[in-house]
Amino acid sequence: DIQMTQSPSSVSASVGDRVTINCRASQEISTWLAWYQQKPGKAPKLLIYTASSLQSGVPSRFSGSGTGTDFTLTISSLQPEDFATYYCQQANSFPFTFGPGTKVDIK
Amino acid sequence: QVQLVESGGGLVKPGGSLRLSCAASGFTFSDYYMAWIRQAPGKGLEWISYITSTGSTIYYADSVKGRFTISRDNAKNSLYLQMNSLRAEDTAVYYCARERNNWNDVGDWGQGTLVTVSS
């Protein structure tokens, strides 16, 4: 199975800050990588697919990059509604594993 | 719009069984791969099973293989998860999920149904 790791596990930030979350796969997955946002008590929401494609309806302050084993989610200017937990997920081979999550909270 | 509504969750004793259902609407169900993904309380996400649009291909995570069975009824726009030999570690919110264009990520999620395995 492909193992996914994320760093940091949590980040404290202020509105307007630039936030970067990293995700690493244990083996090469090309660009088969998705990012999700989850708020407490809610289902996750797809933000980015194939590493850098923005899902319809997602604000352009979210962007993704990377290929191979190393990937990044960037929020260019953090908004109040962005405080949440973010997960990466590899879509290369089953089981489609998720990273452990990165919690973004208010500084 | 796309709607996925899970039902069937609840409290069950270890070793017991439960059947989850997911009613889909707002899209052509028979065109899409579907999945069950779970989240234990306070934990991360685990993709436990998926089924292709016709049901011809099915995968299970090792954690549920041999105990859980995924199925679908395209005529009824419904997805199912039969869960047998339940264990305490199966306690989780179970999400019904629609793959985005069948590319192994999830474009749409249900609201989730809680399964609690406890004596």
Side-chain angles (χ1 to χ4, degrees):
Chain A
D1 296 2
I2 298 174
Q3 309 304 316
M4 306 300 292
T5 57
Q6 287 182 234
S7 62
S9 57
S10 65
V11 56
S12 294
S14 301
V15 172
D17 284 353
R18 181 182 183 89
V19 173
T20 298
I21 299 169
N22 300 300
C23 176
R24 176 167 288 175
S26 62
Q27 58 188 264
E28 219 269 2
I29 60 169
S30 184
T31 56
W32 294 113
L33 193 283
W35 289 98
Y36 302 87
Q37 175 194 68
Q38 187 178 33
K39 296 181 179 179
K42 300 293 187 183
K45 172 188 172 184
L46 179 66
L47 300 175
I48 301 285
Y49 59 92
T50 55
S52 60
S53 298
L54 193 67
Q55 172 72 341
S56 176
V58 173
S60 59
R61 61 180 180 274
F62 291 94
S63 64
S65 64
T67 186
T69 60
D70 291 296
F71 303 87
T72 299
L73 174 71
T74 300
I75 310 172
S76 60
S77 178
L78 199 66
Q79 297 302 299
E81 60 268 31
D82 300 337
F83 292 98
T85 299
Y86 293 85
Y87 294 94
C88 61
Q89 176 239 322
Q90 64 85 10
N92 182 74
S93 60
F94 196 83
F96 304 123
T97 40
F98 293 86
T102 295
K103 185 176 181 181
V104 178
D105 59 22
I106 302 171
K107 183 184 259 184
Chain B
Q1 74 279 21
V2 173
Q3 274 205 303
L4 301 168
V5 180
E6 302 97 335
S7 60
L11 176 63
V12 61
K13 289 182 168 53
S17 297
L18 216 52
R19 189 193 196 209
L20 305 183
S21 298
C22 172
S25 60
F27 65 101
T28 304
F29 181 73
S30 58
D31 284 348
Y32 286 85
Y33 294 7
M34 298 294 295
W36 288 100
I37 296 168
R38 70 183 181 183
Q39 187 169 36
K43 301 296 185 182
L45 297 159
E46 181 185 17
W47 194 312
I48 58 171
S49 185
Y50 97 118
I51 183 168
T52 54
S53 52
T54 61
S56 60
T57 299
I58 286 172
Y59 287 114
Y60 298 101
D62 286 346
S63 58
V64 305
K65 197 175 296 181
R67 301 186 300 122
F68 289 12
T69 302
I70 191 172
S71 63
R72 65 190 296 160
D73 185 335
N74 286 343
K76 293 183 177 180
N77 294 334
S78 294
L79 178 73
Y80 306 101
L81 186 69
Q82 177 67 42
M83 303 186 295
N84 298 331
S85 303
L86 283 161
R87 307 166 179 166
E89 55 264 36
D90 295 319
T91 295
V93 173
Y94 286 73
Y95 292 104
C96 169
R98 184 184 80 153
E99 289 202 2
R100 181 193 58 82
N101 297 332
N102 303 340
W103 280 114
N104 305 329
D105 48 46
V106 177
D108 296 279
W109 302 69
Q111 84 286 355
T113 188
L114 177 62
V115 172
T116 303
V117 184
S118 174
S119 54

